[in-house]
Amino acid sequence: MANDRESFSEKLRVPESLTFDDVLLRPKESRVEPDAADTGTHVSRNVELQVPVLSAAMDTVTESEMAIAMAREGGLGVLHRNLSVGDMVAEIERVKRADELIIRDVVTASPDQTVREVDEMMGEAGVSGAPVVDDSGVPEGQRDDGGAVGGEVLGIISGTDIRPFLEVGESDEVREAMTDEVITAPEDVSPREALELMYEHKIERVPIVDEGDRLVGLITMQGILQRREYDSAARDGEGSLRVGAAVGPFEADRAAAADDAGADVLFIDCAHAHNLDVIESARTIKEEVAADVVVGNVGTREAAEAVVDFADGIKVGIGPGSICTTRVVTGAGMPQISAVAQVADVAALEGVPVIADGGIRYSGDAIKAIAAGADAVMLGSYFAGTDEAPGRVVTMNGKKYKQYRGMGSVGAMQSGGGERYLKDVEEDDDMVPEGVEAATPYKGTLASELHQLVGGMRSGMGYVGAETIPEFKDRAEFVRVSQAGQHEGHPHDVVITDEAPNYSPDGS
Ligand code: XMP
């Protein structure tokens, strides 16, 4: 050799890198029943989840509807960033308001409206009762949208006050039909106190007022009971649902806006976060926001070392995704189980959570990712076919599908996704896509998909004898699987007659 560079042949002495199908969890002695397994985890330094699952920041996977459903079920939805900054802020606000105890956009009635007017108004708004408010002190422009919030509460009127069999006529004024002994509560009332008030007075809604008896909002019994249904929901300190937001590596303005709007975790959304310009910019973003900042995607030990000092979480995945063509287009990538383990070796020493992003087809893959060191998993294709994902259901050859596309596909880049791939895409001809546009089978509700996913993960914890995620990460061991072993692990030598809710041969 002319210099001391290693020989080209040396380069071919390569380390082995593994992915999901290459390994299985070694079964161990156990007393853990799957239902007793606790899946609580950290997704970032300051954000805990009961369910270690995130929905991908993709424009065919996560907008506010998905994020609301994910958080109610205990996981986290990460809003994609093919949205204007204004639209993303509106989406964050929608998630934050979704389970708010106090409704702020209250439909109100004024005492001199007629009973007929109020009946029609309540019908149109889909509510069965309204506080009656003296709106004379409320500025004109504020009276319509959100009613007369800010006016003094004089009474409350409901459907039962104005039904024709009672002694009021349609043209009577509301002041004659309303209940004027109205039960109100202050803004800091707890859900339990509000419910007790409702039971005691046999009412279904309580107007919330300030010290001057002016209307601030409304609490309904339906709202309280709905919140109770979601007992493992991911909520912030104020009880609102948690939400994540993807921001481009150089999008400081989007990061600031998402942070101000209340996003709990910002995800630096880049296909190759071991780019030094990306790291510098991510570091600056982290210094400027209150939200946790997860940095990704990375796939090696060195990349983890480069970000672990400032990241609140590290996301792993270079090309494992179902719609990704990064590995075939660029020749670069890391099989996902090895990538997760390399990153987790570094992150665990600093207490920084790791998220395994992409390539998960079955619940078994998800729990293998956790065994390899991840604290949570992110999925795209698994959720893209659910009702809560954006887009409509289409029928092809009698089967139902929803659209699912890579954020590096032509269509997604035309909608603004190029920066993830560090590409400045002005013209269609400039595009070198790293993803495809596809369809995925329609699957019904997110709740049922997540139930299968998390149920399978819990069972995996049972096979290893671990009650918690940290214990599972310690106890889990892998065995290497041959191709024959992989074949053995799927249904074989039979014809499947009925679809299982958690298995299809191609993982869709
Ligand atoms: P799954 O396998 O769950 O993967 O569908 C979702 C993850 O894939 C990543 N992603 C892409 N990767 N080209 C890529 O190489 C793309 O066009 C693309 N779009 C999404 C992303 O990390 C996502 O969470």
Side-chain angles (χ1 to χ4, degrees), residues 53-56 60-61 66 70 378-389 443 446 449-450 453:
V53 179
L54 290 78
S55 64
T60 46
V61 180
M66 174 65 80
M70 283 295 297
M378 176 179 265
L379 299 90
S381 71
Y382 200 94
F383 297 136
T386 62
D387 293 322
E388 289 81 354
K443 291 180 169 168
L446 173 85
E449 280 304 289
L450 206 51
L453 182 72

Side-chain angles (χ1 to χ4, degrees), residues 56 58 297 319-326 357-360 378-381 404 406-409 420-421 434-435:
M58 299 173 72
N297 278 10
S322 59
I323 33 50
C324 299
T325 53
T326 291
D357 173 17
I360 291 170
M378 176 179 265
L379 299 90
S381 71
Y404 180 48
M407 292 300 276
S409 66
R420 181 170 204 271
Y421 299 87
E434 289 183 30

